[in-house]
Amino acid sequence: MAPKFGTSGLRGLVTELTPELVADHIRAFVSSCDTGTALCIGRDLRPSSPRIAKDAADAALAAGVRVIDCGEVPTPALALAAQTLGAGAVMITGSHIPADRNGIKFYSRTGEITKGDETAITGALGAEPVRAAQAQLEQDLSVNGAFEKRYVAACGANALSGRRIGLYSHSAVGRDGLARILTGLGADVIELGRSESFIPVDTEAVDPGTRAMIADWVAEHRLDALVSTDGDSDRPLLADETGTIVPGDILGQITAQALAADTVVTPISSNSGVTQKGFGAVERTRIGSPFVIAGMEAAGGNVVGYEANGGFLLGFEAEGPVGRIAPLVTRDCVLPLVMTLIAAGEGTLSERVAKEPPVVTVADRLQEVPQDVSAPYVASLAEDADVRAAFLGALGGTERALDLTDGVRMVMTDGRTVHVRPSGNAPELRLYVEAGDPDGAADLLRDGLAQLRIALKL
């Protein structure tokens, strides 16, 4: 895929993320956004990430910017370090997409770049390099340790005492840190599936082979739970004691309640059961952390946000079991994992999840579907009631309500919901569905994907 710049930063094929292209985007970023005292640079474990990180550092140094190399760190750990320093940051990562692709996430001094920042960066591309005194490259190897301390200090050394937890570490950059956090909370941690080759794990759409592998591990090792993350460790994956994966938005609901949040901001793709949990306010937004962050800023107070992928954003200083947790308004995988495990108390994780409202949301995607193929069909769904009727009819339903907040979300008269949306940063067409029980949701997802394949002639 050709490199594309958007709210998740710059992404594209490694072969097309040339030093010149990377340098142009770094210069545009530091010249148009507030990076404060310095620029922190972190990276994931993809083979291409060290080279791209060096290209980014070289460009910033040449522009006279103080650069701090933070090494291999999770995205939220880098964001926390930059927040503490009053600095900007760039994270070299392609998140969950394959290793032949990579990207750069951008953070201004105030946090994740906004839609306004995106416009400013785009407008600054192609400018001639500014002559400046070459800055010196610095290094900070304390970022991971500070991030890990955040959770142990707030939750306590006995928070997960007696729990046997599997860690599917694969090639996630936060794998060792997550192991240290869980051990620091008293858990017995069993590492599984470590890989020195990059494995793209999408925590929002876990493939059947990975689900089966996780279920086998849980049974074999008699685990109370299994945890994992995506490549840059900002999205959580949690399986219960039966090997069943807990959806990310359910983790968000439980965590928001555990932290005593008043207001919840979450995208339209998240489980609608959150509206039944008694929060003071629930705001549904377009999909993407910039929209969640904008909603959180507008709400203020004891506000949290989360996405369907489970990435959790803390907008206020919250009380943990034994200490306070400072705000971190960027996707974080550790907080929802830890707080949900703690919320299970003396019971099982599945018992805690069963207390949530009876709404089941699952998602998957059709891969290698370019937007110029998927977009016309999604547009026809949005604009033509007959096209929607044909799609829903094949699923045994009729339309009751339509929501075009982001993509096409169709609520059927029987309460089932299907939501079709092209990915904004990958050649994928995503499908989110809701039903009243797991079997119904699984059937609807399977049949919905089949109908999309037919419609797109795949």
Side-chain angles (χ1 to χ4, degrees):
M1 80 183 176
K4 181 178 179 181
F5 182 78
T7 50
S8 288
L10 176 68
R11 281 192 181 176
L13 291 168
V14 170
T15 54
E16 296 180 333
L17 292 173
T18 62
E20 295 77 17
L21 183 71
V22 170
D24 191 18
H25 281 79
I26 294 297
R27 287 193 297 267
F29 170 55
V30 299
S31 67
S32 61
C33 297
D34 180 5
T35 57
T37 61
L39 185 67
C40 298
I41 298 181
R43 62 183 185 274
D44 68 11
L45 300 181
R46 293 164 189 268
S48 61
S49 291
R51 188 271 294 173
I52 297 173
K54 184 179 184 303
D55 293 341
D58 288 346
L61 291 169
V65 176
R66 176 188 172 205
V67 174
I68 302 173
D69 176 14
C70 298
E72 296 172 344
V73 295
T75 295
L78 180 71
L80 179 64
Q83 174 181 292
T84 303
L85 289 171
V90 293
M91 177 69 183
I92 311 304
T93 181
S95 188
H96 62 279
I97 60 178
D100 65 339
R101 300 162 187 176
N102 211 328
I104 306 175
K105 293 181 179 179
F106 297 87
Y107 288 77
S108 72
R109 183 177 60 83
T110 57
E112 288 190 36
I113 60 170
T114 65
K115 298 300 289 185
D117 292 330
E118 179 185 335
T119 300
I121 295 169
T122 302
L125 291 172
E128 287 294 320
V130 175
R131 294 182 180 275
Q134 178 85 19
Q136 293 297 309
L137 179 66
E138 303 173 29
Q139 191 174 49
D140 185 351
L141 301 181
S142 68
V143 171
N144 283 318
F147 185 65
E148 294 156 20
K149 182 179 179 181
R150 165 185 174 86
Y151 304 96
V152 177
C155 298
N158 297 313
L160 297 176
S161 180
R163 295 290 183 173
R164 187 174 173 84
I165 299 176
L167 169 61
Y168 174 31
S169 56
H170 62 92
S171 53
V173 70
R175 57 192 181 184
D176 294 334
L178 184 53
R180 288 190 290 267
I181 290 169
L182 295 172
T183 301
L185 297 176
D188 177 17
V189 179
I190 297 90
E191 185 183 23
L192 301 160
R194 190 180 186 93
S195 174
E196 297 311 312
S197 299
F198 188 81
I199 299 174
V201 173
D202 186 344
T203 64
E204 189 176 359
V206 183
D207 64 84
T210 301
R211 288 176 181 270
M213 180 176 67
I214 288 172
D216 288 344
W217 278 336
V218 169
E220 177 186 353
H221 297 281
R222 299 182 180 181
L223 303 175
D224 295 307
L226 180 143
V227 302
S228 190
T229 78
D230 63 340
D232 65 322
S233 297
D234 68 346
R235 304 179 185 190
L237 188 154
L238 178 63
D240 66 19
E241 78 285 353
T242 72
T244 300
I245 292 175
V246 183
D249 42 16
I250 299 300
L251 303 182
Q253 293 177 189
I254 293 172
T255 303
Q257 184 176 24
L259 296 174
D262 294 329
T263 303
V264 172
V265 181
T266 192
I268 193 67
S269 57
S270 294
N271 190 299
S272 64
V274 66
T275 61
Q276 303 175 34
K277 285 181 62 69
F279 292 108
V282 175
E283 180 184 343
R284 311 298 294 275
T285 72
R286 290 181 62 186
I287 297 170
S289 53
F291 301 108
V292 175
I293 292 169
M296 292 173 66
E297 290 175 345
N302 289 0
V303 61
V304 300
Y306 62 83
E307 298 183 90
N309 56 45
F312 196 89
L313 302 91
L314 180 61
F316 69 105
E317 188 174 49
E319 289 285 353
V322 300
R324 301 185 72 80
I325 311 173
L328 183 59
V329 187
T330 193
R331 276 193 303 257
D332 176 18
C333 76
V334 178
L335 193 58
L337 289 173
V338 168
M339 296 306 297
T340 301
L341 289 167
I342 293 173
E346 297 298 320
T348 65
L349 185 55
S350 65
E351 289 170 343
R352 176 61 188 85
V353 171
K355 295 178 182 179
E356 294 302 293
V359 179
V360 178
T361 301
V362 291
D364 205 343
R365 81 278 199 211
L366 300 180
Q367 296 178 286
E368 302 304 329
V369 182
Q371 285 197 358
D372 59 2
V373 173
S374 61
Y377 177 67
V378 175
S380 70
L381 279 174
E383 299 164 2
D384 193 330
D386 290 338
V387 176
R388 295 196 300 274
F391 180 71
L392 296 178
L395 303 177
T398 56
E399 183 179 307
R400 185 184 75 195
L402 176 68
D403 190 323
L404 301 179
T405 299
D406 197 344
V408 182
R409 188 174 190 268
M410 298 161 278
V411 181
M412 292 182 267
T413 53
D414 59 10
R416 294 180 300 157
T417 299
V418 290
H419 180 185
V420 183
R421 174 185 177 269
S423 171
N425 51 43
E428 300 172 349
L429 180 62
R430 289 190 175 267
L431 176 66
Y432 311 84
V433 307
E434 274 193 358
D437 62 85
D439 289 342
D443 290 346
L444 183 58
L445 183 65
R446 179 198 64 220
D447 296 343
L449 289 171
Q451 289 304 313
L452 289 176
R453 290 189 186 96
I454 292 171
L456 296 173
K457 298 180 173 59
L458 299 179

